[in-house]
Amino acid sequence: QKRLDFVKEQEIKKEEKSNIKIQKYDEVNKTWLTIDLENYDKFKYAYQKSLKGGYRIDTTTKKLLDDAIKNEPQITKDLLDLISKTNGEIDYEVKIGDKTLTALDFRLKKYDSLKRKVISEFVEGKPLDFIETHLYDSVRYTDLVDDVFFTNEYFEVKSQLENLGYKFVRVRNTIWDNSKTYRGINVVIENPAGYKFELQFHTPQSLEIKDKNHVLYEMARQDTTSLEEKIRLNKQMLINSQELNHITDCETIESFDYLK
């Protein structure tokens, strides 16, 4: 019982520690950073390493954006040519308020969004030179396909891209797993020039659940959200994800990670 009490006490302390935020003004990047206490030592190392290498948040963001702009046109062309011959879509309509856009309008992260992602990774303890080469969603796409064609679509797209010299370097398949709040297939692909980008595979239903859960996720991650409310939001995300219809043979899509 003493051992159990000790373990419980340590878990409580860890939870309390993870909720403590440190506000630090970064003189080099001229911005305020919010750092979790549990990440502070890792952040200090990342900060010193980036300082010695002359890396800055803005220059790292610009480098990521420049690389994305350079590589995106050919990737988009190849995907459009390929997926136009399959049962999927990457240029489907997206309604935002009274505006109708297409999914391809979001294929490039905007500068401000990219900068927020860089800062998020930085305060978690990743040096900026590492972030420059390990942020893979500056260019991103979603292949939308009906349930009945879903599994075949993945294997067909993979085969056709590999024929063009692309490589699947990481696959995370959670669409079969009803214990996850995110249900989909998330792939990192390397183009023939060595540039890495993200391609997701979704059904209309899984995409709707993803969008619904993203709103709840953003609410749950706010510093002002209470622990009780975070638990409630996480439970609701799980309930939402468990509504997804079973997709035939989706568990045959293997997860792997060659980026480790």
Side-chain angles (χ1 to χ4, degrees):
Q1 186 60 48
K2 284 182 179 179
R3 288 181 180 177
L4 290 171
D5 289 344
F6 176 78
V7 169
K8 186 176 181 180
E9 183 182 341
Q10 297 307 307
E11 288 175 348
I12 291 170
K13 286 181 178 179
K14 184 178 179 181
E15 178 65 32
E16 289 173 346
K17 187 178 180 181
S18 68
N19 288 330
I20 298 174
K21 310 287 182 183
I22 296 171
Q23 287 281 331
K24 176 181 172 61
Y25 186 72
D26 183 347
E27 293 284 354
V28 174
N29 293 293
K30 308 300 180 188
T31 187
W32 282 94
L33 301 175
T34 303
I35 307 145
D36 289 339
L37 178 61
E38 62 179 346
N39 290 330
Y40 191 64
D41 288 338
K42 287 190 291 185
F43 167 74
K44 284 194 296 183
Y45 167 78
Y47 185 82
Q48 291 301 322
K49 190 173 185 298
S50 296
L51 201 61
K52 288 177 184 176
Y55 288 87
R56 304 287 184 271
I57 288 172
D58 282 330
T59 53
T60 293
T61 305
K62 187 175 185 305
K63 171 74 163 51
L64 286 164
L65 189 57
D66 287 347
D67 286 347
I69 291 170
K70 177 183 174 182
N71 285 276
E72 174 272 322
Q74 186 61 49
I75 296 170
T76 300
K77 180 181 182 304
D78 288 342
L79 283 174
L80 279 171
D81 289 348
L82 189 160
I83 293 176
S84 68
K85 301 178 182 71
T86 71
N87 291 297
E89 284 184 280
I90 60 167
D91 57 347
Y92 55 90
E93 286 189 354
V94 177
K95 291 190 180 296
I96 300 179
D98 58 353
K99 290 184 179 179
T100 300
L101 305 170
T102 75
L104 284 182
D105 291 324
F106 303 95
R107 65 189 181 275
L108 273 173
K109 268 187 182 290
K110 304 294 185 186
Y111 181 88
D112 289 344
S113 175
L114 200 50
K115 185 175 179 178
R116 284 194 297 272
K117 185 70 178 284
V118 169
I119 291 173
S120 173
E121 300 276 305
F122 189 41
V123 298
E124 287 179 5
K126 297 172 185 174
L128 293 173
D129 60 331
F130 178 88
I131 295 170
E132 273 190 14
T133 55
H134 291 78
L135 202 63
Y136 307 123
D137 64 346
S138 303
V139 178
R140 66 274 175 91
Y141 308 87
T142 297
D143 186 356
L144 187 65
V145 59
D146 288 338
D147 297 28
V148 67
F149 303 116
F150 185 86
T151 303
N152 285 341
E153 174 77 6
Y154 168 83
F155 286 113
E156 186 173 356
V157 170
K158 183 175 185 291
S159 175
Q160 293 297 326
L161 281 175
E162 287 173 344
N163 288 341
L164 294 174
Y166 288 78
K167 298 176 185 174
F168 277 41
V169 293
R170 185 174 73 197
V171 177
R172 290 176 176 165
N173 177 10
T174 57
I175 202 156
W176 62 273
D177 189 350
N178 65 9
S179 70
K180 303 293 186 184
T181 56
Y182 172 83
R183 305 284 298 279
I185 294 179
N186 188 296
V187 183
V188 175
I189 303 170
E190 185 178 297
N191 75 353
Y195 182 78
K196 298 178 181 68
F197 64 96
E198 182 183 277
L199 175 62
Q200 296 183 20
F201 292 83
H202 277 287
T203 68
Q205 187 189 20
S206 73
L207 186 62
E208 182 182 351
I209 292 169
K210 174 198 165 188
D211 291 342
K212 192 187 301 183
N213 277 356
H214 183 71
V215 175
L216 301 180
Y217 169 76
E218 289 297 330
M219 292 167 61
R221 70 195 292 261
Q222 296 296 319
D223 294 342
T224 53
T225 304
S226 68
L227 181 59
E228 292 77 8
E229 181 64 3
K230 286 181 180 182
I231 292 170
R232 188 193 71 78
L233 290 168
N234 280 311
K235 282 182 178 178
Q236 186 58 54
M237 283 189 276
L238 187 58
I239 290 169
N240 292 343
S241 77
Q242 290 174 341
E243 294 174 356
L244 183 65
N245 297 331
H246 176 71
I247 298 164
T248 304
D249 294 332
C250 66
E251 64 278 1
T252 63
I253 298 171
E254 179 187 2
S255 294
F256 59 83
D257 189 352
Y258 298 149
L259 295 170
K260 291 182 179 178

